[in-house]
Amino acid sequence: MGARHGLRRGHAASACPFIAFAAAVLLALPGLAAGDTHYYTFNVRMTKVTRLCVTKSIPTVNGQFPGPKLTVREGDRLVVKVHNHIKYNVSFHWHGVRQLRNGWADGPSYITQCPIQAGQSYVYDFTVTGQHGTLWWHAHFSWLRVHLYGPLVILPKRAEGYPFPRPYKEVPILFGEWFNADTEAVINQALQTGGGPNVSDAYTFNGLPGPTYNCSAQDTYKLKVKPGRTYMLRLINSALNDELFFGIANHTLTVVEADANYVKPFTVQTLVISPGQTMNVLLTTAPNPASPAYAMAISPYTNTQGTFDNTTAVAVLEYAPAPGGNLPLPALPLYNDTGAVTNFSRNFRSLASAQYPARVPLAVDRHLLFTVGLGTDPCPSNQTCQGPNGTKFAASINNNSFFRPRTALLEAHYQRRYAGVLLANFPTTPPHPFNYTGTPPNNTFVQHGTRVVPLRFNTSVELVLQGTSIQGAESHPLHLHGYNFFVVGEGFGNFDPVNDPPRYNLADPVERNTISVPTAGWVAVRFLADNPGVWLMHCHFDVHLSWGLSMAWLVNDGPLPNQKILPPPSDLPKC
């Protein structure tokens, strides 16, 4: 995969040359002091990869699938120079990194930057401030992240350590999806016909599908372990469109972190993780294992009324080389077991300790209610559409389906050029109230627009995300760029503004950057708008993102110099 490389230390990006290398895997080097600068080069090229006996050319970073692991410490600076050698536009998002005052490094195309065009380059230059744990990076243009993703490991400051016994070893495990078809063709066809896109052919562990799929026994991820040791698995769901159950046969898992925030430890046999989410879990191996190997497995959780990839991927927890044959599988829940998901998600609590306080806003300046779900668009008169009742599938927040602007919103905001780019009139309550989780309205057509919610600096926000049953009730993993938020409440049915808030957890709510709106339910989150810029919030099912399930927050500058957006870099891409 990669090699160990030295690091250049510096201050201004122009003061040191880049270290270009073919495989940008950075291992945790014990001699690094906090505040180091790490230089990487990402060469995005097409690379031939074979899975399921299908060979195809896919976009990769430095020829690797999944992409290279980046390891830093809290307080370190990353400088990543991206060279785009493929025919598609591309950009990269450092998922979960707060990017304080520095949206130029956030990555979503047409939100904080124009994409990097073919043959062009761009430098992502940012500092990891006040964060530690497992995050990840991925492409943020069309469906390219199906192949362009990798782990971002943020170690604690050297003097801190973990709030639990240090594990013997730490292992990133990325769950993904593999399509035999070209995924850009898949989504383009779906958008043209208005129907649901074809689903993936396999799930993967670190890019490998494993023995449950056609001719894939040799493409099996194996985690070699020693008896009686504790391993920390850094789990990342990088799948394109699926929430996933995960378990290991005859082993338990202790969850200690979610989205790079420590949680009160709790132990489970099965967990569920949504696209975009990360989770650190401790696995203590058996002192005297009864078998040389055990199966690790992932399978989908969904309530969709459409088709989905209803397969199970298997990897191996290996104490010793095992003879051939079937390993016993962990008992994963059924694909539609919302009860299992609810029981799991309700375990999450912040540490809320003196060292790791839960700074949830107790007073709220703005209360907002967003409906989240599917809808439809009329079929153009000159074609036949394959969506519900001859329409085209769409998705929306408060019935507004996001329309991609012609230039980057952050750039327009910084230059105060709003005309023809965006409108500051995103609806902060549903424009047409209805029984959100009951019988859908007769008219399911959505509105389209590039609309944002403007916020004054330091506004405390309570946002209720209300799922709808239009085109079927589903859970929706919502990701907020530029911020973490506190999950103060959740429930099924329609949110009750009188009876639900008194039951909020304001003592130790979990802090996250991605949360699933429950199937036919709601979730309430709070955050403090203390990071100026334009920040995308969207469903992390890429099919729903493609259908318009996103919006943006425009957080204005504060009065002090350190509360204002930094100037854009000189190499900011042009649209």
PDB file of all heavy atoms in Angstrom, residues 242-255:
ATOM      1  N   ASP A 242     -26.293   3.327   1.850  1.00  0.00           N
ATOM      2  CA  ASP A 242     -26.842   2.333   2.771  1.00  0.00           C
ATOM      3  C   ASP A 242     -26.347   2.514   4.197  1.00  0.00           C
ATOM      4  O   ASP A 242     -25.139   2.633   4.446  1.00  0.00           O
ATOM      5  CB  ASP A 242     -26.485   0.914   2.299  1.00  0.00           C
ATOM      6  CG  ASP A 242     -27.293   0.500   1.087  1.00  0.00           C
ATOM      7  OD1 ASP A 242     -28.440   0.069   1.282  1.00  0.00           O
ATOM      8  OD2 ASP A 242     -26.797   0.647  -0.043  1.00  0.00           O
ATOM      9  N   GLU A 243     -27.302   2.505   5.130  1.00  0.00           N
ATOM     10  CA  GLU A 243     -26.977   2.316   6.538  1.00  0.00           C
ATOM     11  C   GLU A 243     -26.680   0.838   6.740  1.00  0.00           C
ATOM     12  O   GLU A 243     -27.274  -0.023   6.087  1.00  0.00           O
ATOM     13  CB  GLU A 243     -28.141   2.768   7.423  1.00  0.00           C
ATOM     14  CG  GLU A 243     -28.440   4.250   7.277  1.00  0.00           C
ATOM     15  CD  GLU A 243     -29.625   4.706   8.098  1.00  0.00           C
ATOM     16  OE1 GLU A 243     -30.760   4.529   7.630  1.00  0.00           O
ATOM     17  OE2 GLU A 243     -29.418   5.244   9.192  1.00  0.00           O
ATOM     18  N   LEU A 244     -25.771   0.523   7.658  1.00  0.00           N
ATOM     19  CA  LEU A 244     -25.281  -0.851   7.765  1.00  0.00           C
ATOM     20  C   LEU A 244     -25.259  -1.333   9.209  1.00  0.00           C
ATOM     21  O   LEU A 244     -24.846  -0.601  10.122  1.00  0.00           O
ATOM     22  CB  LEU A 244     -23.862  -0.949   7.184  1.00  0.00           C
ATOM     23  CG  LEU A 244     -23.736  -0.701   5.677  1.00  0.00           C
ATOM     24  CD1 LEU A 244     -22.285  -0.529   5.283  1.00  0.00           C
ATOM     25  CD2 LEU A 244     -24.393  -1.827   4.886  1.00  0.00           C
ATOM     26  N   PHE A 245     -25.715  -2.573   9.404  1.00  0.00           N
ATOM     27  CA  PHE A 245     -25.489  -3.295  10.653  1.00  0.00           C
ATOM     28  C   PHE A 245     -24.100  -3.918  10.614  1.00  0.00           C
ATOM     29  O   PHE A 245     -23.627  -4.332   9.546  1.00  0.00           O
ATOM     30  CB  PHE A 245     -26.525  -4.411  10.840  1.00  0.00           C
ATOM     31  CG  PHE A 245     -27.928  -3.938  11.093  1.00  0.00           C
ATOM     32  CD1 PHE A 245     -28.931  -4.160  10.160  1.00  0.00           C
ATOM     33  CD2 PHE A 245     -28.259  -3.283  12.269  1.00  0.00           C
ATOM     34  CE1 PHE A 245     -30.231  -3.749  10.386  1.00  0.00           C
ATOM     35  CE2 PHE A 245     -29.561  -2.861  12.519  1.00  0.00           C
ATOM     36  CZ  PHE A 245     -30.548  -3.093  11.571  1.00  0.00           C
ATOM     37  N   PHE A 246     -23.456  -4.016  11.773  1.00  0.00           N
ATOM     38  CA  PHE A 246     -22.128  -4.649  11.862  1.00  0.00           C
ATOM     39  C   PHE A 246     -22.041  -5.455  13.135  1.00  0.00           C
ATOM     40  O   PHE A 246     -22.484  -5.016  14.201  1.00  0.00           O
ATOM     41  CB  PHE A 246     -21.023  -3.577  11.856  1.00  0.00           C
ATOM     42  CG  PHE A 246     -19.645  -4.099  12.193  1.00  0.00           C
ATOM     43  CD1 PHE A 246     -18.977  -4.963  11.336  1.00  0.00           C
ATOM     44  CD2 PHE A 246     -19.021  -3.733  13.386  1.00  0.00           C
ATOM     45  CE1 PHE A 246     -17.708  -5.444  11.648  1.00  0.00           C
ATOM     46  CE2 PHE A 246     -17.750  -4.210  13.699  1.00  0.00           C
ATOM     47  CZ  PHE A 246     -17.094  -5.064  12.840  1.00  0.00           C
ATOM     48  N   GLY A 247     -21.449  -6.635  13.020  1.00  0.00           N
ATOM     49  CA  GLY A 247     -21.204  -7.458  14.195  1.00  0.00           C
ATOM     50  C   GLY A 247     -20.095  -8.462  13.918  1.00  0.00           C
ATOM     51  O   GLY A 247     -19.718  -8.690  12.759  1.00  0.00           O
ATOM     52  N   ILE A 248     -19.564  -9.043  14.989  1.00  0.00           N
ATOM     53  CA  ILE A 248     -18.530 -10.075  14.907  1.00  0.00           C
ATOM     54  C   ILE A 248     -19.037 -11.289  15.671  1.00  0.00           C
ATOM     55  O   ILE A 248     -19.423 -11.166  16.851  1.00  0.00           O
ATOM     56  CB  ILE A 248     -17.191  -9.595  15.502  1.00  0.00           C
ATOM     57  CG1 ILE A 248     -16.727  -8.293  14.825  1.00  0.00           C
ATOM     58  CG2 ILE A 248     -16.120 -10.676  15.370  1.00  0.00           C
ATOM     59  CD1 ILE A 248     -15.458  -7.707  15.426  1.00  0.00           C
ATOM     60  N   ALA A 249     -19.040 -12.433  15.044  1.00  0.00           N
ATOM     61  CA  ALA A 249     -19.563 -13.644  15.682  1.00  0.00           C
ATOM     62  C   ALA A 249     -18.852 -13.909  17.009  1.00  0.00           C
ATOM     63  O   ALA A 249     -17.620 -13.848  17.090  1.00  0.00           O
ATOM     64  CB  ALA A 249     -19.398 -14.840  14.744  1.00  0.00           C
ATOM     65  N   ASN A 250     -19.623 -14.148  18.050  1.00  0.00           N
ATOM     66  CA  ASN A 250     -19.128 -14.548  19.373  1.00  0.00           C
ATOM     67  C   ASN A 250     -18.247 -13.482  20.037  1.00  0.00           C
ATOM     68  O   ASN A 250     -17.447 -13.805  20.919  1.00  0.00           O
ATOM     69  CB  ASN A 250     -18.350 -15.881  19.295  1.00  0.00           C
ATOM     70  CG  ASN A 250     -19.229 -17.045  18.874  1.00  0.00           C
ATOM     71  OD1 ASN A 250     -19.487 -17.214  17.688  1.00  0.00           O
ATOM     72  ND2 ASN A 250     -19.701 -17.818  19.830  1.00  0.00           N
ATOM     73  N   HIS A 251     -18.389 -12.224  19.645  1.00  0.00           N
ATOM     74  CA  HIS A 251     -17.627 -11.142  20.262  1.00  0.00           C
ATOM     75  C   HIS A 251     -18.551  -9.960  20.531  1.00  0.00           C
ATOM     76  O   HIS A 251     -19.546  -9.773  19.833  1.00  0.00           O
ATOM     77  CB  HIS A 251     -16.481 -10.688  19.347  1.00  0.00           C
ATOM     78  CG  HIS A 251     -15.373 -11.687  19.223  1.00  0.00           C
ATOM     79  ND1 HIS A 251     -15.515 -12.863  18.514  1.00  0.00           N
ATOM     80  CD2 HIS A 251     -14.106 -11.690  19.720  1.00  0.00           C
ATOM     81  CE1 HIS A 251     -14.377 -13.553  18.572  1.00  0.00           C
ATOM     82  NE2 HIS A 251     -13.502 -12.855  19.290  1.00  0.00           N
ATOM     83  N   THR A 252     -18.201  -9.182  21.531  1.00  0.00           N
ATOM     84  CA  THR A 252     -18.935  -7.957  21.820  1.00  0.00           C
ATOM     85  C   THR A 252     -18.065  -6.749  21.488  1.00  0.00           C
ATOM     86  O   THR A 252     -16.841  -6.852  21.393  1.00  0.00           O
ATOM     87  CB  THR A 252     -19.373  -7.887  23.292  1.00  0.00           C
ATOM     88  OG1 THR A 252     -18.210  -7.986  24.124  1.00  0.00           O
ATOM     89  CG2 THR A 252     -20.334  -9.015  23.637  1.00  0.00           C
ATOM     90  N   LEU A 253     -18.718  -5.613  21.327  1.00  0.00           N
ATOM     91  CA  LEU A 253     -18.056  -4.379  20.957  1.00  0.00           C
ATOM     92  C   LEU A 253     -18.438  -3.293  21.949  1.00  0.00           C
ATOM     93  O   LEU A 253     -19.611  -3.158  22.307  1.00  0.00           O
ATOM     94  CB  LEU A 253     -18.477  -3.945  19.546  1.00  0.00           C
ATOM     95  CG  LEU A 253     -18.217  -4.959  18.427  1.00  0.00           C
ATOM     96  CD1 LEU A 253     -18.986  -4.570  17.164  1.00  0.00           C
ATOM     97  CD2 LEU A 253     -16.723  -5.060  18.133  1.00  0.00           C
ATOM     98  N   THR A 254     -17.466  -2.518  22.390  1.00  0.00           N
ATOM     99  CA  THR A 254     -17.726  -1.410  23.304  1.00  0.00           C
ATOM    100  C   THR A 254     -17.531  -0.101  22.551  1.00  0.00           C
ATOM    101  O   THR A 254     -16.411   0.211  22.111  1.00  0.00           O
ATOM    102  CB  THR A 254     -16.799  -1.465  24.525  1.00  0.00           C
ATOM    103  OG1 THR A 254     -17.014  -2.696  25.213  1.00  0.00           O
ATOM    104  CG2 THR A 254     -17.081  -0.302  25.474  1.00  0.00           C
ATOM    105  N   VAL A 255     -18.608   0.645  22.402  1.00  0.00           N
ATOM    106  CA  VAL A 255     -18.563   1.916  21.682  1.00  0.00           C
ATOM    107  C   VAL A 255     -18.005   2.990  22.612  1.00  0.00           C
ATOM    108  O   VAL A 255     -18.497   3.179  23.722  1.00  0.00           O
ATOM    109  CB  VAL A 255     -19.962   2.315  21.186  1.00  0.00           C
ATOM    110  CG1 VAL A 255     -19.915   3.633  20.421  1.00  0.00           C
ATOM    111  CG2 VAL A 255     -20.559   1.212  20.309  1.00  0.00           C
TER     112      VAL A 255
END
